[in-house]
Amino acid sequence: MGRNQKTDLALTDALDTVSEFIRQVTGVEPTPAEIADALTRYFVMNEIKDHILMLREDAE
């Protein structure tokens, strides 16, 4: 399996996890458009950035 396939699988798994979480807490599965909208909000992107920076610092 190539690097892009591994990345695609990791992203697909993460999106499935988000979708399942939203379904569990709201009772309704989110649409891909709703997930995309949520992921592009500044607050969410900033949280993702902070998390990635933390992971990179822990790896050093």
Side-chain angles (χ1 to χ4, degrees):
M1 189 180 292
R3 182 169 185 244
N4 285 339
Q5 290 173 326
K6 288 180 185 177
T7 300
D8 291 348
L9 182 57
L11 289 173
T12 299
D13 288 347
L15 291 171
D16 288 346
T17 299
V18 169
S19 183
E20 178 61 18
F21 174 77
I22 299 302
R23 188 194 63 73
Q24 287 178 3
V25 298
T26 69
V28 180
E29 188 167 336
T31 66
E34 290 171 326
I35 294 173
D37 181 67
L39 289 172
T40 58
R41 297 188 55 86
Y42 175 80
F43 176 79
V44 175
M45 290 192 303
N46 198 48
E47 286 294 313
I48 292 169
K49 178 218 24 130
D50 288 347
H51 184 78
I52 289 171
L53 289 174
M54 179 187 66
L55 289 173
R56 288 176 181 174
E57 288 174 2
D58 288 347
E60 291 177 353

